[in-house]
Amino acid sequence: MATKSARLDSIVVPMPLLAGLVLVGLPLYAYLSPIVLWYVFALTVWSALAIIGKVPIPSGSIRLLLAMVIVGALYVSYGAVFGLIPGTSMVLLLAYLKLFEIKTRRDITVIIFLGYFLASSLFFHSQSVWVALYVIVLAIYFTSLLVMVADRNASTSLLQRLKIALRMVLQSLPLMLIMFVLFPRIPGPLWQLPKDAQSASTGLSEEMTPGDINKLVASYDVAFRVKFDAPPPDNRNLYWRGLVLSDYDGKTWRRDNAPDWTRPEVEIYQQAGDDIRYRVTLEPHQHNWLYALELITGFDDNYRLTRELQLLSNNLVSSVISYRAQASLQASNHGLYPPERRKNLELPAGYNPKTLALAQAMRRTAAGNPRAIVQAVLQYFSNQEFYYTLTPPLLGNNAMDDFLFKSRRGFCEHYASAFTTLMRAAGVPTRIVLGYQGGEINPVDEYMIVRQSDAHAWTEVWLDDQGWMRVDPTAAVAPQRIERGIQSAGLEKQYLPGLLQVNSDVLNRVRFVWDSFQNGWNQWVVGFDEQKQLKLFKMLGLGDVSKSDLMLYLVVAMSFVGLLVAWWVIRSGYYQPRDRVRYYYRYFLKRLSRQGLEITEQDTSQEMLTRLKIKFPDMAEQASNIVKQYQDLIYGQSRNRGTEKTFVRLVRTFRI
Amino acid sequence: MARTKTPPSLSAVADAGRRPFFNFIAKRSGPFDAITLDRRRVYILPTKSGLMFAVLVLVLLVGSINYSKSLGFMLTFMLAAIGNVAMYVTWRNLVGLHLRSGGSKPVYARQPARFSVQLENTDASCRYSIAISANGYEYELVDVPAKALSCAHFEVASHSRGVLSAGRFRLETTFPTGLFVAWTSIELNMSTLIYPAPVDKAELQVAGTGEDGDTDLASVGLEEFSGLRKYQVGDSWRRVSWKRSAHTDTIYTKEFVGGKPERVWIDWNQVAVSDTEQRLSILARLVLNADAAAVIYGVRLPNQEIQPDTGSAHLHQCLRALALYGH
């Protein structure tokens, strides 16, 4: 029964620990470099073999060597041992090494704490519902390991430990919630974040090569969600501007932004009811640009707008952010300096001779009128045999020639690219805009969902009298794409995301509910910041609160809820209510003693009854009945709910 | 084991809350015959692991602020709240436990005296890993299953013969997380007899016992076997030859040569040592020798005479007399 030392008797313990490290490591594997990954695998196998006794536990000097190899491997893989990924890898690997030198219970505790730490690092990569659930499971598991360490007689089973841990996690939820809601949020980093604090994700990239976007179309992921203040505009006006590409090398389009000190020149026509106000909740995409409806006329102060009307943030968007913006369908952009004009006319020399020739011909026909040239090109797209497809053939060196005269199959970026090339060749400044087009209203929460599959590329043409004018060449080929969205564009269904292919009301309903849940998660959990805190207090009718108010509320609520939790923990949960048979028997004895009957714990019930008979002769029979029933219940086999009830009633009706 | 005060009646236990305040301290100090660990009697503090855990929570908090990870805050606060719950649960692992003195066995002086305590758990769930110890001696760990009794033991150093009361002992637990330690220090009405430590055989010779008597007590039990005779009433059962008796209808007793009488007196005056404690230690050795030799022996002390007899009860009666001599 007794274990007399804090030292461990056997190495049985580390197996559940190793399982914990594997569990917490699994989601991290995707981010580890191959060398580190192999090292993790090797250590996993080695420690598993050591634990079951197939290989000896490595000695101190070997462990030191292994630790040095870890540092070396990290340095080779990442060029550093600090930063997010190297740091997490280091903690993971050191936790593995620690498995080899468990001597006391405290060593195990250290590994468990490293496990909690690693679990929290998962949130750097994703803050989705799934990751949150996984981390809760990990928290329960590691807490059950703490129980294992504290259970020094080793008398609990794995299931019992998990139950105890689960109960503790459940009991921790109220206080966690209070702290989460009321703890004052200090914005911004306390120190410079490591460069790799973000990791790759889906979405538009900084450049565009025809063939890029149609890969995105297969993704059902949410790019961002929008809440309009008023009913949303028509689908054909939903152009979500991201970034502007001006530089073309014959293959790839890139950004060529005007200098930072330049200002946008937006002209707003004052017409009533034209403003579209909305709030965007953007999923992290690891870039610094934001998406805003064309034509942007207002935005949050902490962002800036470039001359090309790209809305930029100062930091990379690495977690869900939310911003307000304003758009007007009537506004126009008049920014064009001579260098911009030059830039937007440039084409790589010596490429696409046929395209250039076509452009010259069109320019002549249109007599140099830019509007007429635009019409001519669009008509060319719609009259000739062009197809809108997700599976365009590969293009050669003269990509535009190949597309315009040979394949004639393409996706939005092909049309935007070809259109821009033709316009520039015809002498009209033109550039490409990348973003999303369309969006779907979720009837459950009225949020508009814009998915990766809505990614789109269109163009802007400079007209001297009007400024930049949006032209979407895809609309000439597949007008339904712009009118009704990607799923109605007549594209090959098998390449669209699975959920966009089906047309089931039930399924639609389910995915809308699910999406509104995810949206709520983003809005209220992942995106819970200072503003949300204030908003919540307004919603609760508490008005404006300051940070010190918040602290006060926190302290008050924590004391109050803390007491409730304490009551909960102490009263129920671990310890079920006391035995009512014993309780009522004590109550019975207490009442007798209040009447002056001397009762001590050492008395047998016979002695007590004898004394009772002398003092209260008329009660003796009833009392002895109670004593007899009590003994039957405690020592006999007859105990059940019914007999318990009879006993309780008997005690209650006992009158002296 | 004399009771020093009347045990508290059940009603007194139940009415403890109505006692005047100045009874509070007296009530806390004990010793008690039985006690239920109430909430005021159980203390709690974080362990080293608990402090490390607090540091971990702080690190996670700073990390969450720095990287503005909302879910990081969530996990941080969850761990903090788990720590809070762990405090109550650890404390609850002791609170409500009923303790009763569980008796003890006499030991010889300078041997650790071992006391047992009955732990009763009236709750519907098990109380795990409760450590009991006194005065820095090694602890023993017990689990007290739901609605059950467990016996736990602790040891106390005994220095001299006489009555040793158990004194304070400590119950502590870190279950279920090891982040907190809950403990109580309590004294139960428990005492045990400490017999005089018997001297070594060699010392017995040096002491020169038996010089004037007709019995060389030092060599009692060192005789040689000489034969068998029929069992007579009063013969020690230890001297019965069971092997032989099994083959026949009669019971045989083994006889030994040496001419020593079967009935001896272990006499205070026989021992020519002036120091009382040394004398008692020698007497204790003689008593043990006599018991081992299964002779019929009695003990004569200046204030007391124990008639010759044999058996375990007799042995303990004699040792008890030695232990309590002069007290």
Side-chain angles (χ1 to χ4, degrees), chain B residues 66-85:
Chain B
N66 198 43
Y67 290 85
S68 301
K69 294 291 176 190
S70 205
L71 290 181
F73 279 111
M74 195 86 108
L75 182 65
T76 308
F77 296 145
M78 177 186 267
L79 290 183
I82 286 177
N84 173 67
V85 170

PDB file of all heavy atoms in Angstrom, chain B residues 66-85:
ATOM      1  N   ASN B  66       1.468  39.326 -26.463  1.00  0.00           N
ATOM      2  CA  ASN B  66       2.430  39.760 -27.464  1.00  0.00           C
ATOM      3  C   ASN B  66       1.986  39.408 -28.875  1.00  0.00           C
ATOM      4  O   ASN B  66       2.094  40.210 -29.784  1.00  0.00           O
ATOM      5  CB  ASN B  66       3.783  39.116 -27.173  1.00  0.00           C
ATOM      6  CG  ASN B  66       4.889  39.841 -27.884  1.00  0.00           C
ATOM      7  OD1 ASN B  66       4.916  41.070 -27.897  1.00  0.00           O
ATOM      8  ND2 ASN B  66       5.792  39.102 -28.490  1.00  0.00           N
ATOM      9  N   TYR B  67       1.471  38.199 -29.040  1.00  0.00           N
ATOM     10  CA  TYR B  67       1.092  37.766 -30.378  1.00  0.00           C
ATOM     11  C   TYR B  67      -0.391  38.010 -30.641  1.00  0.00           C
ATOM     12  O   TYR B  67      -0.901  37.628 -31.680  1.00  0.00           O
ATOM     13  CB  TYR B  67       1.417  36.283 -30.568  1.00  0.00           C
ATOM     14  CG  TYR B  67       2.902  36.001 -30.640  1.00  0.00           C
ATOM     15  CD1 TYR B  67       3.658  35.826 -29.498  1.00  0.00           C
ATOM     16  CD2 TYR B  67       3.554  35.921 -31.865  1.00  0.00           C
ATOM     17  CE1 TYR B  67       5.017  35.581 -29.552  1.00  0.00           C
ATOM     18  CE2 TYR B  67       4.903  35.670 -31.934  1.00  0.00           C
ATOM     19  CZ  TYR B  67       5.631  35.505 -30.784  1.00  0.00           C
ATOM     20  OH  TYR B  67       6.982  35.268 -30.861  1.00  0.00           O
ATOM     21  N   SER B  68      -1.068  38.621 -29.688  1.00  0.00           N
ATOM     22  CA  SER B  68      -2.505  38.894 -29.812  1.00  0.00           C
ATOM     23  C   SER B  68      -3.279  37.659 -30.265  1.00  0.00           C
ATOM     24  O   SER B  68      -4.071  37.717 -31.193  1.00  0.00           O
ATOM     25  CB  SER B  68      -2.766  40.020 -30.803  1.00  0.00           C
ATOM     26  OG  SER B  68      -2.115  41.178 -30.392  1.00  0.00           O
ATOM     27  N   LYS B  69      -3.017  36.536 -29.618  1.00  0.00           N
ATOM     28  CA  LYS B  69      -3.745  35.326 -29.984  1.00  0.00           C
ATOM     29  C   LYS B  69      -4.868  35.119 -28.985  1.00  0.00           C
ATOM     30  O   LYS B  69      -4.649  34.798 -27.813  1.00  0.00           O
ATOM     31  CB  LYS B  69      -2.803  34.109 -29.979  1.00  0.00           C
ATOM     32  CG  LYS B  69      -1.728  34.173 -31.044  1.00  0.00           C
ATOM     33  CD  LYS B  69      -2.301  34.023 -32.430  1.00  0.00           C
ATOM     34  CE  LYS B  69      -1.193  34.185 -33.462  1.00  0.00           C
ATOM     35  NZ  LYS B  69      -1.672  34.297 -34.831  1.00  0.00           N
ATOM     36  N   SER B  70      -6.075  35.318 -29.496  1.00  0.00           N
ATOM     37  CA  SER B  70      -7.240  35.229 -28.634  1.00  0.00           C
ATOM     38  C   SER B  70      -7.349  33.856 -27.971  1.00  0.00           C
ATOM     39  O   SER B  70      -7.644  33.743 -26.789  1.00  0.00           O
ATOM     40  CB  SER B  70      -8.470  35.498 -29.475  1.00  0.00           C
ATOM     41  OG  SER B  70      -9.487  35.980 -28.688  1.00  0.00           O
ATOM     42  N   LEU B  71      -7.081  32.821 -28.768  1.00  0.00           N
ATOM     43  CA  LEU B  71      -7.223  31.482 -28.208  1.00  0.00           C
ATOM     44  C   LEU B  71      -6.078  31.166 -27.255  1.00  0.00           C
ATOM     45  O   LEU B  71      -6.209  30.318 -26.380  1.00  0.00           O
ATOM     46  CB  LEU B  71      -7.302  30.448 -29.325  1.00  0.00           C
ATOM     47  CG  LEU B  71      -8.607  30.518 -30.108  1.00  0.00           C
ATOM     48  CD1 LEU B  71      -8.640  29.463 -31.191  1.00  0.00           C
ATOM     49  CD2 LEU B  71      -9.792  30.362 -29.203  1.00  0.00           C
ATOM     50  N   GLY B  72      -4.962  31.869 -27.441  1.00  0.00           N
ATOM     51  CA  GLY B  72      -3.884  31.755 -26.466  1.00  0.00           C
ATOM     52  C   GLY B  72      -4.357  32.230 -25.109  1.00  0.00           C
ATOM     53  O   GLY B  72      -4.131  31.586 -24.090  1.00  0.00           O
ATOM     54  N   PHE B  73      -5.083  33.351 -25.105  1.00  0.00           N
ATOM     55  CA  PHE B  73      -5.683  33.849 -23.868  1.00  0.00           C
ATOM     56  C   PHE B  73      -6.597  32.776 -23.278  1.00  0.00           C
ATOM     57  O   PHE B  73      -6.590  32.511 -22.085  1.00  0.00           O
ATOM     58  CB  PHE B  73      -6.521  35.108 -24.141  1.00  0.00           C
ATOM     59  CG  PHE B  73      -5.713  36.374 -24.232  1.00  0.00           C
ATOM     60  CD1 PHE B  73      -5.577  37.036 -25.432  1.00  0.00           C
ATOM     61  CD2 PHE B  73      -5.111  36.903 -23.108  1.00  0.00           C
ATOM     62  CE1 PHE B  73      -4.842  38.211 -25.527  1.00  0.00           C
ATOM     63  CE2 PHE B  73      -4.380  38.072 -23.183  1.00  0.00           C
ATOM     64  CZ  PHE B  73      -4.242  38.729 -24.402  1.00  0.00           C
ATOM     65  N   MET B  74      -7.374  32.176 -24.168  1.00  0.00           N
ATOM     66  CA  MET B  74      -8.337  31.171 -23.731  1.00  0.00           C
ATOM     67  C   MET B  74      -7.627  30.047 -22.977  1.00  0.00           C
ATOM     68  O   MET B  74      -8.027  29.689 -21.869  1.00  0.00           O
ATOM     69  CB  MET B  74      -9.028  30.626 -24.981  1.00  0.00           C
ATOM     70  CG  MET B  74     -10.264  29.864 -24.721  1.00  0.00           C
ATOM     71  SD  MET B  74     -11.651  30.959 -24.632  1.00  0.00           S
ATOM     72  CE  MET B  74     -12.469  30.594 -26.152  1.00  0.00           C
ATOM     73  N   LEU B  75      -6.570  29.497 -23.572  1.00  0.00           N
ATOM     74  CA  LEU B  75      -5.859  28.380 -22.930  1.00  0.00           C
ATOM     75  C   LEU B  75      -5.202  28.855 -21.634  1.00  0.00           C
ATOM     76  O   LEU B  75      -5.237  28.167 -20.620  1.00  0.00           O
ATOM     77  CB  LEU B  75      -4.810  27.800 -23.881  1.00  0.00           C
ATOM     78  CG  LEU B  75      -4.053  26.606 -23.308  1.00  0.00           C
ATOM     79  CD1 LEU B  75      -4.971  25.430 -23.089  1.00  0.00           C
ATOM     80  CD2 LEU B  75      -2.895  26.193 -24.191  1.00  0.00           C
ATOM     81  N   THR B  76      -4.614  30.055 -21.696  1.00  0.00           N
ATOM     82  CA  THR B  76      -3.976  30.601 -20.493  1.00  0.00           C
ATOM     83  C   THR B  76      -4.971  30.676 -19.349  1.00  0.00           C
ATOM     84  O   THR B  76      -4.699  30.224 -18.231  1.00  0.00           O
ATOM     85  CB  THR B  76      -3.446  32.013 -20.792  1.00  0.00           C
ATOM     86  OG1 THR B  76      -2.650  31.954 -21.966  1.00  0.00           O
ATOM     87  CG2 THR B  76      -2.622  32.529 -19.637  1.00  0.00           C
ATOM     88  N   PHE B  77      -6.130  31.235 -19.645  1.00  0.00           N
ATOM     89  CA  PHE B  77      -7.127  31.391 -18.593  1.00  0.00           C
ATOM     90  C   PHE B  77      -7.670  30.040 -18.150  1.00  0.00           C
ATOM     91  O   PHE B  77      -8.015  29.845 -16.986  1.00  0.00           O
ATOM     92  CB  PHE B  77      -8.265  32.304 -19.069  1.00  0.00           C
ATOM     93  CG  PHE B  77      -7.805  33.710 -19.351  1.00  0.00           C
ATOM     94  CD1 PHE B  77      -8.364  34.460 -20.377  1.00  0.00           C
ATOM     95  CD2 PHE B  77      -6.801  34.282 -18.590  1.00  0.00           C
ATOM     96  CE1 PHE B  77      -7.936  35.744 -20.636  1.00  0.00           C
ATOM     97  CE2 PHE B  77      -6.357  35.570 -18.840  1.00  0.00           C
ATOM     98  CZ  PHE B  77      -6.927  36.297 -19.867  1.00  0.00           C
ATOM     99  N   MET B  78      -7.749  29.110 -19.096  1.00  0.00           N
ATOM    100  CA  MET B  78      -8.232  27.791 -18.719  1.00  0.00           C
ATOM    101  C   MET B  78      -7.259  27.155 -17.729  1.00  0.00           C
ATOM    102  O   MET B  78      -7.667  26.604 -16.701  1.00  0.00           O
ATOM    103  CB  MET B  78      -8.394  26.897 -19.936  1.00  0.00           C
ATOM    104  CG  MET B  78      -8.822  25.491 -19.576  1.00  0.00           C
ATOM    105  SD  MET B  78      -8.836  24.391 -20.973  1.00  0.00           S
ATOM    106  CE  MET B  78     -10.510  24.563 -21.462  1.00  0.00           C
ATOM    107  N   LEU B  79      -5.967  27.263 -18.016  1.00  0.00           N
ATOM    108  CA  LEU B  79      -4.987  26.663 -17.111  1.00  0.00           C
ATOM    109  C   LEU B  79      -5.034  27.349 -15.750  1.00  0.00           C
ATOM    110  O   LEU B  79      -4.965  26.700 -14.706  1.00  0.00           O
ATOM    111  CB  LEU B  79      -3.579  26.758 -17.714  1.00  0.00           C
ATOM    112  CG  LEU B  79      -3.337  25.863 -18.932  1.00  0.00           C
ATOM    113  CD1 LEU B  79      -1.900  25.973 -19.399  1.00  0.00           C
ATOM    114  CD2 LEU B  79      -3.669  24.425 -18.624  1.00  0.00           C
ATOM    115  N   ALA B  80      -5.171  28.680 -15.769  1.00  0.00           N
ATOM    116  CA  ALA B  80      -5.263  29.400 -14.493  1.00  0.00           C
ATOM    117  C   ALA B  80      -6.474  28.901 -13.707  1.00  0.00           C
ATOM    118  O   ALA B  80      -6.398  28.654 -12.503  1.00  0.00           O
ATOM    119  CB  ALA B  80      -5.362  30.897 -14.740  1.00  0.00           C
ATOM    120  N   ALA B  81      -7.592  28.729 -14.414  1.00  0.00           N
ATOM    121  CA  ALA B  81      -8.814  28.277 -13.743  1.00  0.00           C
ATOM    122  C   ALA B  81      -8.667  26.838 -13.261  1.00  0.00           C
ATOM    123  O   ALA B  81      -9.186  26.478 -12.200  1.00  0.00           O
ATOM    124  CB  ALA B  81     -10.010  28.414 -14.676  1.00  0.00           C
ATOM    125  N   ILE B  82      -7.951  26.024 -14.031  1.00  0.00           N
ATOM    126  CA  ILE B  82      -7.710  24.640 -13.588  1.00  0.00           C
ATOM    127  C   ILE B  82      -6.907  24.666 -12.289  1.00  0.00           C
ATOM    128  O   ILE B  82      -7.185  23.919 -11.347  1.00  0.00           O
ATOM    129  CB  ILE B  82      -6.972  23.834 -14.676  1.00  0.00           C
ATOM    130  CG1 ILE B  82      -7.932  23.499 -15.819  1.00  0.00           C
ATOM    131  CG2 ILE B  82      -6.384  22.552 -14.100  1.00  0.00           C
ATOM    132  CD1 ILE B  82      -7.278  22.769 -16.964  1.00  0.00           C
ATOM    133  N   GLY B  83      -5.927  25.583 -12.230  1.00  0.00           N
ATOM    134  CA  GLY B  83      -5.153  25.728 -10.996  1.00  0.00           C
ATOM    135  C   GLY B  83      -6.065  26.064  -9.830  1.00  0.00           C
ATOM    136  O   GLY B  83      -5.942  25.498  -8.740  1.00  0.00           O
ATOM    137  N   ASN B  84      -6.994  26.953 -10.076  1.00  0.00           N
ATOM    138  CA  ASN B  84      -7.933  27.355  -9.026  1.00  0.00           C
ATOM    139  C   ASN B  84      -8.785  26.173  -8.567  1.00  0.00           C
ATOM    140  O   ASN B  84      -8.935  25.924  -7.370  1.00  0.00           O
ATOM    141  CB  ASN B  84      -8.812  28.488  -9.574  1.00  0.00           C
ATOM    142  CG  ASN B  84      -9.920  28.852  -8.623  1.00  0.00           C
ATOM    143  OD1 ASN B  84      -9.665  29.360  -7.548  1.00  0.00           O
ATOM    144  ND2 ASN B  84     -11.146  28.550  -9.011  1.00  0.00           N
ATOM    145  N   VAL B  85      -9.295  25.432  -9.553  1.00  0.00           N
ATOM    146  CA  VAL B  85     -10.115  24.263  -9.203  1.00  0.00           C
ATOM    147  C   VAL B  85      -9.264  23.235  -8.445  1.00  0.00           C
ATOM    148  O   VAL B  85      -9.700  22.659  -7.448  1.00  0.00           O
ATOM    149  CB  VAL B  85     -10.716  23.640 -10.485  1.00  0.00           C
ATOM    150  CG1 VAL B  85     -11.348  22.301 -10.178  1.00  0.00           C
ATOM    151  CG2 VAL B  85     -11.738  24.576 -11.092  1.00  0.00           C
TER     152      VAL B  85
END
